[in-house]
Amino acid sequence: MTISASTSTSVSMGVRDITLAFGANQVLRGVNLDVPRGTTTCVIGPSGSGKSTLLRTINRLIEPDHGDVLLDGRSVLGDNPDQLRQRVGMVFQQFNLFPHMSVLRNVTLALRRIRKIPEDQAAALARHELDRVGLAAKAEARPAQLSGGQQQRVAIARALALQPQVMLFDEATSALDPELVKGVLSLMADLSAGGMTMLVVTHEMGFAREVADRVAFMDHGVVLEAAPPEAIFEAPEHPRLRQFLSQVF
Ligand code: ADP
Ligand code: MG
């Protein structure tokens, strides 16, 4: 299955010299990245290297001290954060679904609140997205009645319902039981094959190797090396990357 349709509007994304400090802790020290339209970049790197913080600055959950984010070549740092988050979908390690709402309502909420889409129309769109992630039958269920993998697929459907131009994933499978990881990764691979522009922070080196067009290695708040997966995994140049890979494999 390839997920396309609403991904036809995906755009390129650029990150330009982003810096950010939390107090004395310089977490991002000049991050640069280019994700061409319709391609997937995986970000790998040790814990604490600033991967989550980078995604949060792209999505305007935190303001960087310096630098810029470009969508389709245009700076978005001056844009309204809510409008930006329609264009840039984000999926977290913890699915962040509202436990007291049905699956359907979890997906329609942003459509109604942010896009101001009327209830019946939002429900139709949401059912379409749930169908795309294979969960149409679970629309009336509560999140707690679903497996972790199903909950994460709902979170992905919720993001896709806003018809984003770029998708960010922050360790989307790290909280899942091992047998549930594959379903979520294959959904992400379908989305990538369908032409979505994606930036994916992951520890799943198999996914990075097979699905990513490029892999970026982050360490201490900078991208030390970015290249196609074959180069990163077969011929890593930077000593820190070699050391990281030797610990992973
Ligand atoms: P990674 O995702 O690569 O593991 P993070 O981006 O989560 O790394 O964290 C990078 C650094 O920023 C860590 O030292 C972390 O403690 C710090 N950090 C992250 N978020 C905050 C915050 N909200 N306030 C203060 N420090 C933070
Ligand atoms: Mg993280």
Side-chain angles (χ1 to χ4, degrees):
M1 178 182 62
T2 294
I3 297 186
S4 51
S6 67
T7 61
S8 57
T9 54
S10 71
V11 302
S12 65
M13 182 174 74
V15 172
R16 296 283 175 274
D17 205 24
I18 286 195
T19 65
L20 177 72
F22 291 114
N25 187 5
Q26 190 70 44
V27 173
L28 300 179
R29 298 185 298 127
V31 177
N32 288 286
L33 265 182
D34 273 297
V35 187
R37 175 173 188 262
T39 69
T40 293
T41 294
C42 282
V43 180
I44 62 173
S47 180
S49 57
K51 305 180 298 296
S52 294
T53 304
L54 173 65
L55 292 200
R56 291 163 65 84
T57 61
I58 292 171
N59 208 28
R60 301 285 300 282
L61 294 168
I62 326 170
E63 296 296 321
D65 295 331
H66 173 83
D68 209 349
V69 176
L70 312 176
L71 290 186
D72 206 14
R74 203 182 65 81
S75 171
V76 294
L77 280 187
D79 292 3
N80 172 303
D82 268 351
Q83 283 174 353
L84 179 74
R85 280 180 220 129
Q86 277 188 56
R87 301 179 68 193
V88 182
M90 185 152 168
V91 174
F92 301 87
Q93 182 175 335
Q94 303 300 339
F95 332 119
N96 300 336
L97 299 177
F98 292 107
H100 59 290
M101 291 181 192
S102 70
V103 160
L104 185 73
R105 208 151 178 83
N106 266 282
V107 180
T108 58
L109 192 65
L111 285 169
R112 291 164 52 234
R113 290 232 178 117
I114 300 179
R115 286 188 62 197
K116 314 285 182 206
I117 292 180
E119 178 120 35
D120 52 346
Q121 214 176 320
L125 275 172
R127 285 185 194 279
H128 173 71
E129 295 304 332
L130 287 170
D131 191 38
R132 291 211 297 168
V133 303
L135 289 173
K138 299 290 184 184
E140 311 308 330
R142 293 288 163 102
Q145 295 171 284
L146 307 185
S147 73
Q150 290 173 328
Q151 289 185 57
Q152 190 59 297
R153 278 149 59 197
V154 172
I156 293 171
R158 175 177 59 182
L160 292 177
L162 290 172
Q163 300 186 347
Q165 297 173 330
V166 171
M167 283 286 289
L168 311 176
F169 292 85
D170 192 2
E171 297 193 27
T173 59
S174 294
L176 300 178
D177 291 335
E179 74 273 19
L180 303 177
V181 168
K182 217 175 142 192
V184 172
L185 290 181
S186 80
L187 174 58
M188 291 165 64
D190 289 343
L191 202 52
S192 171
M196 178 61 81
T197 306
M198 308 202 335
L199 188 60
V200 180
V201 172
T202 188
H203 293 297
E204 296 287 341
M205 296 300 152
F207 180 89
R209 199 189 274 263
E210 285 159 33
V211 176
D213 298 283
R214 289 178 75 76
V215 176
F217 171 63
M218 254 185 101
D219 188 39
H220 286 106
V222 285
V223 174
L224 280 185
E225 197 162 327
E230 310 81 65
I232 291 286
F233 294 113
E234 310 303 337
E237 285 179 13
H238 202 285
R240 284 288 298 132
L241 173 56
R242 285 194 210 141
Q243 184 193 9
F244 175 76
L245 291 174
S246 74
Q247 285 162 355
V248 173
F249 290 108

